Amino acid sequence: MAEPTAELGKLPAPEATGEAPASNANGAHRTPEELVAKAIAPVKSEFLRPPPVRPSCSSGQGEDAPEAKASAPQSGLVKEKKSKRQLKRERQQEKKSALNLCPEIAKTGDISSCRYKDKCRFSHDLEAFNTQKPADLEGECPFIGAGEPCPFGLACRFSGTHKDAAASAATPSSHKKSFEMNSLKKDVQRLLWKNKMRLPKSEARLKTLGLSVHNKSVKKILEEVESKEPDSKDCSVANGNGCKDAVPSEMTSKDHPQEVAEEDSAVTVNDAVADEPPPPKKQKNVLEEENSTSEAKNGTHTLQSASKESYTPTEQEASTDNLMTENDRSLKLHPREKKLIDLRDKLYLAPLTTVGNLPFRRVCKSLGADVTCGEMAMGTNLLQGQASEWALLRRHSSEDIFGVQICGAYPDTVARTVELIDQECTVDFIDINMGCPIDLVVNKGAGSALLTKPMRMKAIIEAASGTVDTPIAVKVRTGYFEGKNRIDSLIADIGYWGGSAVTIHGRSRQQRYSKLADWDYIYQCAARAPDSLQVLGNGDIFSYVDWNKHKSDCPSLSTCMIARGALLKPWLFTEIKEQRHWDITSGERLNILKDYVRFGLEHWGSDKKGVETTRHFLLEWLSYTFRYVPVGLLEVIPQQLNWRPPSYYGRNDLETLMASDSAADWVRISEMLLGKVPDGFTFAPKHKSNAYDRAENG
Ligand SMILES: Cc1cc2nc3c(=O)[nH]c(=O)nc-3n(C[C@H](O)[C@H](O)[C@H](O)COP(=O)(O)O)c2cc1C
């Protein structure tokens, strides 16, 4: 084995900053067993190094907030807050600047080729563009490399590798081997913007379920229900805001947890039509919390969920809202013949907001994932035709078993969304996120808030599954509150309501990632599920040993879903298929990153903007990958997902660099793949992956 590298080039000089995790309070070395008991990765002592000193936390950039800045630190002045109009004007000016050549002209090299002439939002000054364009990046244009014409032409950061302008301008062949699907068509987007999209199947389904509000204003329905509802005056208890604003409002783009929305370059390239919607028209929501017999009988009808304002379920509510009647179970509510989806024993890459983007999923597919799922998309944003939300539904041709994940709080929104997706996209299943813990989602009554509202869950699943033939899956947590698991009592119903599959993440919303997933509970739930419902377990899988254990301990599990394990080591899929612990080299890991970058440039573009978007998402991913500890460095294998890596040297400089938890080092890795970062570049990871107990949406 190679000696640990002592010299680490430009890495910060390692200096001791207190107790090294591998030693106890007396400075004596801890045994591997002691380290494991403390959830510290037992790295062989010869590789250990003292933790490097980092700048102080005074600027908010301590260990818990890794942040890299490429330029000199900013002055202490508070940044001036710009108005929307100002920002729009600046964006327009930027587009017109020489930096942003008209995409049509870039593609053809001909300044007369743009049909918008001087009305075009982009610059037509080819000479000025060429003067300022930085030198090409190293490597080959990803499109040319894939045997395709480059759609970015002169704007491509690898344009020197285009054989000739004509080749790069040629129309893409219709027989591409690698392509993307599920883009939003312009005419559909316009209809959605105007709220004129016809969605007859969901309408019919909602009517059948008694959830249609035609000829009745939402307010009227509320008034009627409120007047019959003995407890309605109590709704202020739950929402803390009184009942005045009881018109439901689902999330819009402003609320979207994904602050950095993926750009759909295909939609925005040289499009003279505005790419953001006009002021969104409110979707009409059906807000009846279903008037079920059981609720009526028990007088537990509540309206607080329909409130516009913040909603936090109370423990009492969570326990009283769980009432199913035998009638529910025997009702034949899904007359359609469902398409089948067989997930048994398939390796399923979990939906992962931000990081589970299409290029990452391609990487996982190439390493053995069988099933992939898009990042969570908000139903209301899809229904409003938002390009950035639709980008989350994109599917690559290599994703042969592919689903999309949506989130919504009301049956009408969800039913309309699934119909729209079914009509416009090619997907094998649609997953409804009923486990998302993040406040923005829960406060609107969606995500894991639904775990406290079984009647709403029922209405959503029935409405969605009865609207489309595409299988409907749901993803849940064990429950909302810690110690109050509830999926065991709902699992049979989820099948009867029309769900084809349910994934159980073995943690409650309250506990987030603070404890290990409760697999015993997952097994109990799986044992209670009807045969028609596929149950998937999820939580902490990080090696083929974990996988085998769950599969053999609980044969009634259809399969398991893998989330952070794939982020830290996407080759986990290979390991499971080949039943081995792969002591992957840093060079092999770099090659995986190179693949990601190539896929990223194909997806986000090989022009300046595409390169920087690819870098951004690469950095988000790198904010997870450093937590992987190479097999050859561990005293005990396999590594567990909850182990914290101590500070250690790798077997070569690259491995050491890849083990760094410093954002500046992730930026260095990105520079090895995508060239220097632009002036003033900053990066702070969205998920701050070194805070092990933070919220993530599942
Ligand atoms: C960065 C990140 C993003 C996530 N995004 C989603 C999401 O969009 N939808 C979802 O259902 N779960 C999401 N989750 C939760 C995971 O799918 C999974 O349920 C959870 O991480 C537990 O699995 P694990 O222990 O294998 O990581 C996310 C998790 C992480 C770490």
Side-chain angles (χ1 to χ4, degrees):
M1 187 192 302
E3 281 296 300
T5 327
E7 208 282 307
L8 290 163
K10 291 167 216 110
L11 283 178
E15 280 177 39
T17 54
E19 187 201 342
S23 326
N24 61 24
N26 307 321
H29 271 298
R30 284 181 174 143
T31 64
E33 293 72 29
E34 283 171 335
L35 290 168
V36 167
K38 290 204 167 287
I40 296 167
V43 168
K44 291 176 182 165
S45 57
E46 63 268 36
F47 292 101
L48 291 172
R49 66 187 274 195
V53 173
R54 292 279 148 69
S56 81
C57 297
S58 55
S59 61
Q61 297 170 46
E63 285 294 276
D64 286 337
E67 187 170 339
K69 288 187 195 289
S71 59
Q74 290 182 343
S75 71
L77 289 175
V78 181
K79 257 196 173 171
E80 181 201 348
K81 201 160 184 251
K82 293 178 181 169
S83 69
K84 273 191 186 158
R85 191 176 294 172
Q86 215 173 343
L87 287 168
K88 194 173 167 196
R89 202 177 322 117
E90 279 181 20
R91 263 201 312 272
Q92 277 165 353
Q93 277 165 0
E94 201 204 312
K95 277 185 179 161
K96 269 285 181 196
S97 86
L99 298 172
N100 287 292
L101 186 64
C102 162
E104 196 54 36
I105 295 177
K107 203 153 68 165
T108 59
D110 173 5
I111 47 169
S112 63
S113 58
C114 172
R115 64 191 165 113
Y116 300 108
K117 308 286 174 207
D118 49 355
K119 293 218 171 64
C120 179
R121 290 181 292 154
F122 300 96
S123 164
H124 282 195
D125 191 342
L126 192 50
E127 216 177 289
F129 174 78
N130 283 332
T131 314
Q132 63 72 43
K133 192 183 176 209
D136 272 4
L137 293 173
E138 262 179 49
E140 190 185 26
C141 164
F143 297 96
I144 301 296
E148 296 292 330
C150 173
F152 295 90
L154 298 170
C156 175
R157 295 295 320 276
F158 307 85
S159 58
T161 61
H162 298 171
K163 306 273 175 324
D164 59 63
S168 65
T171 21
S173 115
S174 53
H175 304 295
K176 277 178 159 190
K177 277 192 270 72
S178 157
F179 55 94
E180 291 186 12
M181 290 167 262
N182 298 349
S183 51
L184 172 62
K185 293 186 210 90
K186 275 279 148 218
D187 54 336
V188 173
Q189 186 179 39
R190 277 195 208 99
L191 286 174
L192 290 170
W193 284 355
K194 292 181 187 155
N195 205 5
K196 294 229 161 95
M197 190 77 189
R198 287 259 305 120
L199 295 165
K201 288 185 196 162
S202 48
E203 215 166 275
R205 180 62 182 157
L206 291 164
K207 221 179 207 166
T208 317
L209 294 171
L211 293 168
S212 178
V213 285
H214 279 289
N215 308 322
K216 259 187 193 177
S217 82
V218 158
K219 208 163 168 227
K220 188 114 196 202
I221 291 178
L222 266 179
E223 278 168 8
E224 281 174 18
V225 181
E226 273 174 13
S227 65
K228 289 183 212 141
E229 171 52 63
D231 290 344
S232 62
K233 60 183 179 298
D234 288 335
C235 61
S236 58
V237 174
N239 67 23
N241 288 295
C243 306
K244 261 197 240 125
D245 291 328
V247 178
S249 145
E250 290 224 12
M251 291 181 75
T252 63
S253 58
K254 269 199 272 155
D255 305 324
H256 199 295
Q258 184 158 342
E259 292 141 276
V260 193
E262 280 183 273
E263 284 292 333
D264 184 344
S265 51
V267 174
T268 54
V269 166
N270 197 25
D271 194 345
V273 183
D275 45 18
E276 278 311 316
K281 288 200 179 142
K282 264 224 151 104
Q283 295 292 331
K284 282 187 205 142
N285 271 294
V286 180
L287 26 107
E288 296 156 292
E289 183 64 3
E290 203 184 300
N291 226 343
S292 78
T293 31
S294 57
E295 274 191 326
K297 255 194 251 156
N298 291 285
T300 54
H301 225 107
T302 51
L303 287 173
Q304 55 271 53
S305 52
S307 166
K308 212 175 185 178
E309 302 298 334
S310 168
Y311 158 75
T312 311
T314 59
E315 288 208 30
Q316 192 197 3
E317 185 186 8
S319 57
T320 55
D321 196 13
N322 179 18
L323 300 158
M324 273 324 110
T325 62
E326 276 310 310
N327 276 351
D328 290 327
R329 295 193 168 89
S330 59
L331 282 177
K332 297 245 179 301
L333 282 166
H334 33 100
R336 308 176 153 269
E337 268 302 309
K338 275 264 158 247
K339 283 186 196 152
L340 294 175
I341 175 105
D342 181 10
L343 299 170
R344 183 155 277 281
D345 297 332
K346 304 222 164 60
L347 303 186
Y348 188 151
L349 169 66
L352 293 161
T353 295
T354 311
V355 272
N357 43 56
L358 182 146
F360 177 73
R361 301 196 304 268
R362 279 184 76 179
V363 166
C364 292
K365 278 302 295 180
S366 70
L367 289 164
D370 297 313
V371 184
T372 50
C373 185
E375 300 164 63
M376 178 180 80
M378 299 308 306
T380 43
N381 293 349
L382 294 172
L383 289 167
Q384 286 173 4
Q386 287 179 22
S388 54
E389 207 73 8
W390 275 80
L392 305 175
L393 309 182
R394 294 284 277 261
R395 169 186 196 165
H396 186 258
S397 49
S398 63
E399 297 183 274
D400 48 358
I401 309 176
F402 173 77
V404 291
Q405 189 184 57
I406 59 162
C407 188
Y410 296 96
D412 63 330
T413 319
V414 175
R416 285 161 59 82
T417 308
V418 298
E419 181 173 3
L420 185 60
I421 291 173
D422 201 47
Q423 204 170 289
E424 300 301 321
C425 302
T426 312
V427 298
D428 299 307
F429 62 93
I430 300 173
D431 188 82
I432 307 172
N433 191 347
M434 297 191 173
C436 179
I438 64 177
D439 295 340
L440 271 174
V441 171
V442 168
N443 288 345
K444 300 283 176 182
S448 56
L450 291 167
L451 299 174
T452 68
K453 298 231 151 254
M455 299 318 297
R456 181 98 68 86
M457 251 173 122
K458 171 180 189 274
I460 289 177
I461 298 172
E462 281 178 356
S465 68
T467 295
V468 292
D469 299 340
T470 303
I472 297 294
V474 290
K475 184 157 176 280
V476 296
R477 286 173 170 254
T478 54
Y480 189 92
F481 297 103
E482 199 170 350
K484 289 203 184 293
N485 289 342
R486 61 182 347 196
I487 292 303
D488 55 319
S489 62
L490 296 173
I491 192 133
D493 297 300
I494 292 174
Y496 294 118
W497 297 333
S500 296
V502 58
T503 303
I504 307 170
H505 172 193
R507 295 180 177 89
S508 66
R509 190 254 179 181
Q510 199 174 32
Q511 88 190 62
R512 306 283 170 99
Y513 285 89
S514 63
K515 289 193 187 129
L516 294 178
D518 183 349
W519 277 91
D520 286 338
Y521 181 69
I522 296 175
Y523 300 163
Q524 282 169 34
C525 294
R528 286 185 173 212
D531 288 347
S532 59
L533 181 71
Q534 301 179 64
V535 181
L536 289 74
N538 167 231
D540 305 327
I541 294 184
F542 201 37
S543 70
Y544 77 88
V545 178
D546 297 333
W547 173 274
N548 292 355
K549 177 175 164 38
H550 300 314
K551 289 293 299 163
S552 63
D553 284 1
C554 185
S556 53
L557 272 180
S558 190
T559 190
C560 302
M561 180 185 267
I562 295 173
R564 290 167 303 159
L567 281 178
L568 269 66
K569 54 165 184 179
W571 56 92
L572 172 56
F573 299 108
T574 317
E575 291 190 329
I576 296 171
K577 286 205 163 143
E578 297 178 4
Q579 294 283 297
R580 67 180 173 116
H581 302 297
W582 180 358
D583 190 7
I584 191 167
T585 65
S586 54
E588 287 169 321
R589 287 167 74 189
L590 191 68
N591 284 340
I592 292 174
L593 297 180
K594 281 183 185 161
D595 283 344
Y596 177 82
V597 163
R598 193 158 39 83
F599 299 154
L601 295 170
E602 273 183 48
H603 180 66
W604 289 298
S606 58
D607 60 342
K608 190 179 95 186
K609 191 172 164 211
V611 168
E612 288 320 310
T613 308
T614 304
R615 186 194 305 280
H616 175 87
F617 286 106
L618 169 69
L619 288 168
E620 289 288 356
W621 182 23
L622 291 173
S623 74
Y624 286 89
T625 53
F626 75 90
R627 280 161 57 185
Y628 167 74
V629 183
V631 172
L633 272 59
L634 283 171
E635 295 273 15
V636 178
I637 57 168
Q639 182 183 351
Q640 303 296 306
L641 202 42
N642 67 329
W643 288 355
R644 290 157 198 268
S647 188
Y648 67 91
Y649 292 115
R651 290 165 289 191
N652 52 42
D653 283 358
L654 184 56
E655 201 166 68
T656 307
L657 186 65
M658 286 176 162
S660 171
D661 65 356
S662 146
D665 286 328
W666 309 335
V667 170
R668 286 180 60 200
I669 296 174
S670 87
E671 290 184 324
M672 291 163 66
L673 302 159
L674 287 162
K676 280 251 153 272
V677 292
D679 285 346
F681 180 87
T682 61
F683 174 73
K686 188 162 165 251
H687 292 285
K688 305 224 169 74
S689 70
N690 59 355
Y692 281 72
D693 54 356
R694 73 207 175 285
E696 279 151 358
N697 15 335

